[in-house]
Amino acid sequence: MPSSCSADLARRTQRLTASDPCRRLNGVGPKLVDKLATLGIVSIGDVLLHRPSRYEDRTRVTPIAEMMPQGMPVIAVVRIEAAEVRYGRRRSLLVSTTDGHARLWLRFFHFAPAQQARLVAGTWLRVFGEPRAGVYGLEIVHPEYQIVDDAAAGHDFTPELRAVYPATSGVTQNRLRDMVDQALVLLDKPDFWPDALPRDLGHELAAAGVKIDIVEALRCIHRPPPGEDLAALIDGRHPAVTRLAFEELLGHQLGLRSRRRQVKTERAPVLGDAGRGLAPLFEQLGFSPTNAQRRVIGEILADMAVAHPMLRLIQGDVGSGKTVVAAAAVLTAIENGWQAAFMAPTELLAEQHFTNLSSWLEPLGVKVLLVTGRRRRDDALLAPIRDGEPVAVVGTHALFQASLDFGRLGLCVIDEQHRFGVDQRLALRNKAAAGGLTAHQLIMTATPIPRTLAMSAYADLDTSVIDELPPGRTPVVTVAVPNKRRDEVVERIGRAVADGRQVYWVCTLIEASDKLEAQAAEAAAEALSVALPDVHVSLAHGRMKAAAKQKAMQAFKAGAIDVLVATTVIEVGVDVPNASLMIIENAERLGLAQLHQLRGRVGRGSVESHCVLLYQPPLSETARKRLSVLRETGDGFAIARADLELRGPGEVLGTRQTGAASFRIADLVRDGIWVEKALAAADDVLAYHPREASTLIDRWAGARGGYAGV
Ligand code: ADP
Ligand code: MG
């Protein structure tokens, strides 16, 4: 009985809320639910926050004579003149039509007999599709079409600017549109989508010309009325988009800050000064820490001496000396009788940290262990870790492995954190719990991030900046040289080696395939050995056995090798102060941050260093800009700002791989002023508008279940 059915439906929808799962909408089954989740759609609210990527103008009929091949899709009202099956390279149904003035061909490669039977001469159609230049003239392949009674009926339709959504296989536009339609109906219910923006923030928006309320904004992005500024809706300058973007930025910020508050209520071991201070460590170093290093060490030790977990991010440009800072934290944890884990993104780097920490800490009586992929099953190695002996454990992501138990983990140091996913970071923290205590966490990154970006991504962390390089460093002189002058570069290597210098030759490929990179490195090493027979050339790449790689690195460090041909495995952290010339192949293909990191491998000693960026012309506009930024500056922050402009925030944060920092609507660059406002407002909203804050957090955290950078 239809009436009771719809009454039932009405009752059901009465009860629906925005946080209900989207399967409560009509026509959404379990299979679809899984696919929607990959689009970030889990709740009904997520459906409303799924922003269209573009719009189709279905507001008017375009005369065939006005159509442009390869332009925008159009609506046409046409009468069929003839239809026949053609057997060309592919069988197709070709339909010739006219609007009385000009001819338009419709072509179908897939068609059912029943469909063919209805597409006969004299039939009127309203079609929608993108015209292109076909064999016989203007043609639309697989148009959407409806059979209509006559020309007048063809012109009788509701004009619309139809939203086109980001979709995925198995989720059609029709399905998404239908779900959005149902959700838009729910928006009419009072309290379904409360305006959660505190009033003064609403005033700020209005003062900046954003006068649209949240419900209107949602309607506008999904179902813009004819005449709406589509370009502004798409590029995000439209007030409806700004309204949503600001709310998202605020919700994101609130989420991070409240998470941080929650972590700060957890208990952590108190790791204070155990008596002898850091003087013994500093004596081992052979240099005196910079003021910046001392300040940051002080900030870390103050955090660790408190019974709540430290969550601190250390930013320091390449070569600023982060390892020493971490060593001070590690030593403090161990002197308090707790374990410290020090995690690096690559084996090479883990080995280097292991060597450094061992040489600094072993003389002070600290046991340092190395756990890499291969050694994680070595029980003799793992037993002290499991038994809670106060040791320092250096390793790669092998440290996360479920099989590795820390008996008494008090501190996690994560080096070059942009290389690790959010989940990994959390996994290590969760491991830490011992006797209900959470470990302190120290995260180190050499990727300088502009302030607003850092604050919006890492609002859950305290930040320290090592804003000073150790004394005696000289800037790296950087030149860009086209590939055809490679021979000159090789000669230059010969001269540098004759002068007692050491050289890196870095092979890079656009596809980061270990195998191809390794092959390229082998070929380059071979070519160099042939061209410079007196020069000792060696290799380091990701496909070599750890021991072989380590041997090559050690030999290079010891000066027994003149030229190290390497892949980007040396990108982070590798430290050989005597190396003063670096050649980077295919430099035009790398991003600024990566080039800056690579170049940071030289310029660590007191002799002047050089970096040659070999490129394959012609250079694209952005590649040219990248190379010139590098030639002009060595300042990591200046480079990061340029990078942000050239690539956008997702790439700068290195989150492309990790999937974090993906806002649904906001764009940290486009909405920059709103980022500032959200940062400024967040603490007040948490303090004085807790209900609104929790609405905003729930609304925007949604399917992704977390926040950028967390
Ligand atoms: P990064 O910040 O890139 O990780 P490292 O910790 O690898 O830098 O340090 C780079 C180099 O500088 C290392 O050889 C390290 O021993 C050295 N170094 C660190 N601090 C100082 C200092 N205060 N004075 C002199 N050399 C230092
Ligand atoms: Mg480092």
Side-chain angles (χ1 to χ4, degrees):
M1 269 190 287
S3 62
S4 86
C5 240
S6 62
D8 198 44
L9 185 65
R11 239 193 333 273
R12 209 154 52 86
T13 54
Q14 258 326 302
R15 284 197 304 267
L16 285 180
T17 70
S19 48
D20 277 326
C22 62
R23 73 177 143 74
R24 305 276 309 266
L25 296 174
N26 287 330
V28 182
K31 263 209 193 120
L32 187 60
V33 164
D34 290 344
K35 291 185 175 138
L36 288 167
T38 68
L39 293 172
I41 301 176
V42 174
S43 68
I44 297 176
D46 296 334
V47 173
L48 287 167
L49 299 177
H50 193 54
R51 181 183 166 207
S53 48
R54 60 189 176 87
Y55 300 86
E56 290 169 352
D57 187 346
R58 295 176 182 242
T59 55
R60 64 183 209 102
V61 172
T62 304
I64 297 170
E66 287 177 20
M67 289 180 188
M68 309 276 285
Q70 253 129 31
M72 304 290 287
V74 292
I75 295 182
V77 175
V78 296
R79 188 172 43 79
I80 298 179
E81 291 184 317
E84 63 171 317
V85 176
R86 293 290 174 93
Y87 298 88
R89 205 156 40 85
R90 267 177 83 188
R91 179 170 165 270
S92 66
L93 174 62
L94 190 62
V95 180
S96 147
T97 73
T98 176
D99 62 359
H101 301 283
R103 174 164 299 164
L104 176 67
W105 299 88
L106 309 179
R107 191 187 288 275
F108 300 86
F109 291 106
H110 309 283
F111 53 95
Q115 187 182 12
Q116 187 185 351
R118 299 182 67 193
L119 295 175
V120 292
T123 305
W124 281 89
L125 302 174
R126 181 168 59 240
V127 305
F128 179 82
E130 192 173 312
R132 55 172 213 187
V135 186
Y136 306 105
L138 219 49
E139 167 180 301
I140 300 181
V141 176
H142 282 280
E144 242 181 80
Y145 70 90
Q146 274 168 291
I147 294 175
V148 290
D149 289 345
D150 50 28
H155 282 80
D156 181 18
F157 63 95
T158 311
E160 70 173 314
L161 296 172
R162 183 179 289 184
V164 180
Y165 295 96
T168 180
S169 94
V171 182
T172 62
Q173 290 297 327
N174 281 339
R175 172 57 66 201
L176 285 167
R177 228 178 5 256
D178 177 59
M179 292 174 63
V180 170
D181 280 334
Q182 295 181 54
L184 287 172
V185 170
L186 295 171
L187 264 190
D188 286 334
K189 295 198 312 167
D191 290 336
F192 181 79
W193 199 275
D195 186 342
L197 218 51
R199 191 167 310 145
D200 47 337
L201 292 177
H203 290 330
E204 273 196 58
L205 281 163
V210 181
K211 295 188 174 124
I212 188 167
D213 75 35
I214 186 77
V215 169
E216 255 180 279
L218 287 170
R219 288 195 193 291
C220 182
I221 65 160
H222 290 291
R223 302 291 177 259
E228 197 54 78
D229 183 350
L230 287 186
L233 277 175
I234 294 167
D235 70 22
R237 285 174 296 110
H238 194 286
V241 179
T242 308
R243 175 66 182 75
L244 292 163
F246 176 62
E247 206 185 282
E248 176 170 37
L249 290 165
L250 183 61
H252 167 79
Q253 194 58 214
L254 294 171
L256 284 175
R257 291 191 196 190
S258 70
R259 193 186 91 90
R260 180 191 140 81
R261 287 183 181 195
Q262 184 218 318
V263 170
K264 286 288 185 188
T265 65
E266 291 169 12
R267 317 241 0 127
V270 175
L271 307 177
D273 179 355
R276 57 176 168 168
L278 294 171
L281 170 66
F282 293 165
E283 274 159 32
Q284 295 296 326
L285 297 176
F287 52 75
S288 165
T290 61
N291 288 330
Q293 285 169 318
R294 289 177 193 272
R295 172 173 46 76
V296 172
I297 290 173
E299 288 164 358
I300 293 168
L301 296 195
D303 281 358
M304 289 171 54
V306 171
H308 299 289
M310 164 170 74
L311 281 174
R312 187 168 286 277
L313 175 74
I314 308 299
Q315 283 193 56
D317 208 346
V318 276
S320 61
K322 292 183 289 296
T323 320
V324 174
V325 168
V330 168
L331 178 63
T332 304
I334 287 169
E335 293 201 321
N336 278 275
W338 287 75
Q339 298 174 318
F342 191 152
M343 185 170 58
T346 64
E347 285 199 4
L348 202 57
L349 199 49
E351 283 151 15
Q352 180 183 293
H353 284 329
F354 172 68
T355 310
N356 278 330
L357 287 194
S358 306
S359 76
W360 295 335
L361 300 181
E362 301 249 336
L364 306 178
V366 173
K367 194 153 154 202
V368 185
L369 304 174
L370 177 66
V371 177
T372 55
R374 266 165 283 277
R375 303 188 61 201
R376 65 167 196 273
R377 293 190 203 295
D378 178 348
D379 198 59
L381 176 74
L382 302 186
I385 303 177
R386 197 174 47 228
D387 297 344
E389 272 181 44
V391 290
V393 186
V394 182
T396 55
H397 52 272
L399 294 184
F400 296 122
Q401 242 89 40
S403 59
L404 185 59
D405 282 328
F406 286 85
R408 201 171 149 79
L409 186 59
L411 169 73
C412 298
V413 181
I414 305 183
D415 193 21
E416 305 294 350
Q417 95 90 24
H418 63 288
R419 288 290 180 111
F420 287 109
V422 171
D423 301 343
Q424 289 173 309
R425 205 173 108 193
L426 290 177
L428 194 61
R429 219 173 65 83
N430 292 339
K431 245 183 193 305
L437 298 182
T438 305
H440 296 282
Q441 194 172 58
L442 185 65
I443 294 158
M444 307 200 292
T445 174
T447 310
I449 302 165
R451 192 190 131 269
T452 46
L453 187 51
M455 285 190 67
S456 81
Y458 300 122
D460 60 329
L461 305 173
D462 295 301
T463 306
S464 298
V465 182
I466 309 181
D467 50 5
E468 180 186 358
L469 291 179
R473 301 274 168 86
T474 44
V476 180
V477 178
T478 302
V479 293
V481 173
N483 243 336
K484 60 174 185 290
R485 286 170 47 202
R486 213 181 164 92
D487 289 349
E488 290 168 39
V489 174
V490 172
E491 274 171 39
R492 183 168 175 173
I493 293 175
R495 283 197 307 274
V497 170
D499 283 351
R501 313 271 194 98
Q502 286 180 285
V503 183
Y504 288 107
W505 179 287
V506 186
C507 292
T508 71
L509 289 175
I510 191 155
E511 290 191 56
S513 140
D514 268 8
K515 184 170 168 206
L516 294 178
E517 272 198 349
Q519 285 170 355
E522 275 159 19
E526 178 69 32
L528 282 174
S529 305
V530 171
L532 304 168
D534 299 335
V535 167
H536 290 289
V537 179
S538 196
L539 267 171
H541 61 65
R543 291 220 136 194
M544 284 162 64
K545 289 219 157 57
K549 227 171 13 192
Q550 200 177 356
K551 208 170 133 210
M553 282 309 297
Q554 270 160 2
F556 189 58
K557 212 163 181 163
I561 288 170
D562 306 311
V563 180
L564 186 72
V565 177
T567 58
T568 47
V569 295
I570 63 153
E571 175 185 342
V572 284
V574 171
D575 183 44
V576 180
N578 191 47
S580 62
L581 173 60
M582 170 172 279
I583 321 294
I584 304 178
E585 276 199 275
N586 299 318
E588 80 279 8
R589 291 171 175 173
L590 298 187
L592 264 180
Q594 200 176 7
L595 287 166
H596 177 61
Q597 291 295 320
L598 280 169
R599 182 175 57 177
R601 302 305 120 217
V602 293
R604 298 184 155 234
S606 47
V607 295
E608 180 168 88
S609 289
H610 296 260
C611 178
V612 178
L613 305 169
L614 267 183
Y615 67 88
Q616 184 62 51
L619 284 179
S620 71
E621 192 51 36
T622 34
R624 187 187 313 278
K625 280 199 193 122
R626 278 201 297 266
L627 299 189
S628 73
V629 168
L630 282 167
R631 281 204 312 269
E632 283 156 19
T633 182
D635 172 357
F637 278 91
I639 288 171
R641 272 193 303 276
D643 206 16
L644 185 62
E645 276 158 32
L646 290 172
R647 287 193 307 168
E651 303 272 340
V652 173
L653 284 170
T655 43
R656 199 178 36 146
Q657 309 91 312
T658 63
S662 51
F663 288 98
R664 300 162 191 237
I665 294 179
D667 176 317
L668 293 173
V669 175
R670 181 194 69 208
D671 303 316
I673 58 162
W674 299 106
V675 175
E676 297 275 1
K677 288 199 196 299
L679 292 174
D683 280 337
D684 267 7
V685 178
L686 276 179
Y688 302 115
H689 305 277
R691 208 161 35 103
E692 283 81 356
S694 81
T695 302
L696 290 174
I697 291 169
D698 292 347
R699 183 177 287 171
W700 291 98
R704 292 183 174 90
Y707 302 94
V710 175

